[in-house]
Amino acid sequence: MVFMFEQATTQVLLSALFFFVIIYSPREASSSRIASFAFAPGVEENSEANALLKWKASLDNQSQALLSSWTGTSPCNWVGITCDVSNSVSSIILQHFGLRGMLYSLSFSSFPNLHKMDISNNLFSGTIPHQIGNLSNILYLDLSNNLCGGSIPEEIGCLVGLNLLNLSNNKLSGTIPFIFGNLTQLTILRLCTNRLFGSIPSSIVNMINLNELDLSKNKFSGSIPSNMGNWTKLNMLRWHTTRLSGSIPFSIGNLINLNDLDLSRNNLSGPIPSCIGNLTKLTRLYLFKNRLSRSVPSSIGNLINLSELFLYKNKLSGPIPSTIGNLTKLTMLHWYKTRLPGSIPFSIGNLINLKELDLSENKLSDVIPSSIGNLTRLTILYLFTNRISGSIPFSIGNLIDLNELILYENNLVGPIPSSIENLTKLTILYLFTNRLSGSIPFSIGNMISLNEIALYENKISGSIPSSIGNLIKLTLNLLGKSIPSELGLLQSLQILDLSCNLLTGIIPTTLGQALRLETLNLSHNNLSGVIPSSFCEMMSLTSIDISYNQLEGPLPDIPSFRNATIAIFRNNKGLCGNISGLTACQTVKSDSYDPKSRKIMLRVLLLTLGILLLVLFVLGVAYVLRRGKRNKLNEDSEAQSQNVYFAWGFEGKRTYENLIEATEGFNNKYLIGEGGCASIYKARLPDGLVVAVKKFCSMLDGEIPNLKVFTSEIRALTEIRHRNIVKLYGFCSHPRLTFLVYEFLEGGSLDKILNNDTQSIALDWHRGMNIVKDLECEAHISDFGMAKFLKPTHPIGPHLQAPSVILPQLAYTMEVNEKCDVYSFGVLVLEILMGKHPGDIIHLLTSSLSTNHNLASKDLLDQRLSHPLNPIAGR
Ligand SMILES: *[C@@H]1O[C@H](CO)[C@@H](O)[C@H](O)[C@H]1NC(C)=O
Ligand SMILES: *[C@@H]1O[C@H](CO)[C@@H](O)[C@H](O)[C@H]1NC(C)=O
Ligand SMILES: *[C@@H]1O[C@H](CO)[C@@H](O)[C@H](O)[C@H]1NC(C)=O
Ligand SMILES: *[C@@H]1O[C@H](CO)[C@@H](O)[C@H](O)[C@H]1NC(C)=O
Ligand SMILES: *[C@@H]1O[C@H](CO)[C@@H](O)[C@H](O)[C@H]1NC(C)=O
Ligand SMILES: *[C@@H]1O[C@H](CO)[C@@H](O)[C@H](O)[C@H]1NC(C)=O
């Protein structure tokens, strides 16, 4: 028996099969065994039958039904049971029976001749009994895919004949017993997907006959034993997703029979040893998600049988060795997010079997070698977020199987090569944020599989050619842009998804010309104006979603609108129509929504408004100057002589005292935040209400503003009931003590979150978008309209801290209205995108409206976060 296993060096399954054919074929039955059981066969048989029947009786109803053949005294023809020539049970094979029960009621000592026990893929629970150590002749023990818990009994370490031990996919905890080192005959050891912890006992290296070792998905700590080199017969080593630390031992170079090595998702550090090049039989090398550093050794080029090389998410800081060109059997090369510098070697063109090439999010510079055109089997080419320059090679047109071409955020120049038309299987084309120029090739229309195109932030001129009209499905990524009117030319377009793009401006009338459009999703944008009347032509439209925009006016009278529910219209500015949840439209002359006449009307209105504002401004300045002088004389003395206190929603004076009491006279232990010239305290009032009290250091350097205007303004603020404006309960103003009382919000201020890197990254793009979209992590604007009362140089609040951020109009009219709302929303959006307060930008924009179009929005984005796009979001 032993000699057979020594031969089983490579294909384990094959060897196992080989083994059983020999063991269980009657021809080969050993005569010595017949002899040994000739003494008391009846006893053996009966005790075996009894043991099995007892076990059956302990199982649940259904399981017992499944074992209905288990009756009588001779188990040899029962389902799942095999006997040897002496009629003693030699195997119990009950895999995939759906049996439910425990193992402790099985008397293991009743089966002295059991060689194989496979009860995998059932519902056995409870602990593995110590008596399992009585299976003294067991060679094959498979309890995998059950619900067994507890720790692994040490007694298994006594089953020294074991050839296969599979306990994977259970709920086992505890450590691997040291005594397991005795299992030197093991060829297969699988303990993966359990809850085992502790370090692997050093004795494990004694299992010198191992073919397969799988310890993955446990909580093991510690490091790989440095003398792992004794496992010279190993051809599969999976030790991923544990907490393995330390470095990869040099002795790994001895495992020359290894063809599958997976040490991914651990905490391994240090370099990849150059002796890895000895493992020439490797077909799969997974080292991703570790902390491996330095260069990948050039000896990697020796692994000529390699098919999958996954090195991503490490700290590998050296360049790609040019020897990579030797790996001609490679189908997948995933080497992203590892700090990779240097260039893509020309030799990459040798990897003619490559299907997936992902070198994104590195520091690669230089050009895309033209040899890339040799990789004709590529389906995925990700080179985004690098420093690659030069132009997109013309040879890209050879990659006729390509599905996704993602090259964004590089320094690519020149035109999009016309050869791209060859890529008829391409579904995603992301080239944005480069310096590509020229026009979009007309031939792009030949790319019949194209779903998503994103070309923004380039120097591409011209428009989307009408040839693109072959497109059926298009998801455009146009973050922050307006809807291109050319989209209406996409005569074949059936599905158009522009949702969640922060699109601004109006819906172009031409969109109504996309007559075959069936699905249109414009939701979660910032679109304004009315729905063009041209939509009435879109009779194919069956699904539309325009929710979460700023749209107004009546709904077009087409079936897709008539039959819709409020869900697809909600959160707009003023849509009306015959849908429950919407207000009915007031009867207007139908032509008043004609876009042309509306435009003229708007212009006239704006002009009038402009003149009016100018007049008001002049008058206002004169008035304020005059009043300011007079009031200062009248009220300075008044202010200094008395406490000025106002409170609405409170009971006046008592609350003032309560506040002082609740904060123990503004004791620092209630301090929850500090701004430029204000401190925020949390106060719990006697009635349980928790409020935020914002105390200013001093108000206007002792200056009190026009009190009447001030109080009426505060009153207006307290009356605002908008769910995204922090409710102001009241305030107190005194030359020495000035504070505002707000509704208390748990999250703290956005400003604070964005100023803190860790929290800011946690507040990733998705949640950032949600703040903007008003969905999940809702933003609340405080200090709404308050900034104007304070000195321009004194920032008071997270959102409206400098006067440049206040809607200029507000400063003159002292009126809180919807426009402030819109303006503040804009500021909020910018703050989220930039990761800081956009004060400077806004100042720039408002001070010279016409000259700042070349502000790159990329520079504005929060540099701490990666780009918010699908390929990344999917990881
Ligand atoms: C089988 O299960 C049912 C209910 O689940 C129970 O009433 C019955 O007594 C069980 N029979 C046996 C033999 O355990
Ligand atoms: C079964 O194993 C236990 C130890 O686990 C031992 O004490 C006992 O004697 C064994 N029984 C037989 C019948 O071998
Ligand atoms: C493991 O290998 C070392 C040499 O590398 C040797 O000294 C030792 O005896 C080996 N252990 C076994 C169990 O073979
Ligand atoms: C493994 O590779 C190293 C060099 O990388 C070499 O010196 C050593 O002899 C190799 N060992 C085996 C067993 O091939
Ligand atoms: C397009 O693909 C064909 C192979 O299908 C190739 O022969 C041709 O050169 C390619 N054209 C361009 C412009 O790359
Ligand atoms: C439109 O897109 C949004 C965001 O992607 C999604 O939540 C919504 O379900 C879509 N609407 C329809 C009708 O599919």
Side-chain angles (χ1 to χ4, degrees), residues 390-394 412-418 431 435-441 460:
S391 53
I392 302 174
F394 188 81
L412 295 168
V413 295
I416 301 173
S418 60
L431 302 177
R435 285 189 265 137
L436 296 167
S437 53
S439 52
I440 302 174
I460 294 169

Side-chain angles (χ1 to χ4, degrees), residues 599-613 819:
K599 230 182 217 165
I600 295 169
M601 262 176 59
L602 247 166
R603 275 195 198 141
V604 172
L605 210 88
L606 278 175
L607 199 70
T608 320
L609 216 92
I611 294 170
L612 214 85
L613 272 175
K819 290 194 180 89

Side-chain angles (χ1 to χ4, degrees), residues 665-678:
F666 294 106
N667 189 312
N668 271 355
K669 67 181 171 190
Y670 297 98
L671 194 66
I672 53 171
E674 271 178 302
C677 191

Side-chain angles (χ1 to χ4, degrees), residues 497 499-500 519-524 543-545 547 568 773:
D497 186 350
S499 65
C500 303
T519 301
L520 175 63
N521 196 339
L522 300 176
S523 74
H524 298 283
S543 164
I544 186 157
D545 193 340
S547 60
I568 63 155
K773 290 186 313 193

Side-chain angles (χ1 to χ4, degrees), residues 109-110 130-134 155:
S109 53
S110 304
H130 295 286
Q131 286 73 20
I132 202 161
N134 295 57
E155 287 77 0

Side-chain angles (χ1 to χ4, degrees), residues 428-448:
I428 297 181
L429 177 62
Y430 284 171
L431 302 177
F432 62 86
T433 318
N434 274 294
R435 285 189 265 137
L436 296 167
S437 53
S439 52
I440 302 174
F442 187 80
S443 57
I444 208 167
N446 295 342
M447 302 167 72
I448 50 173

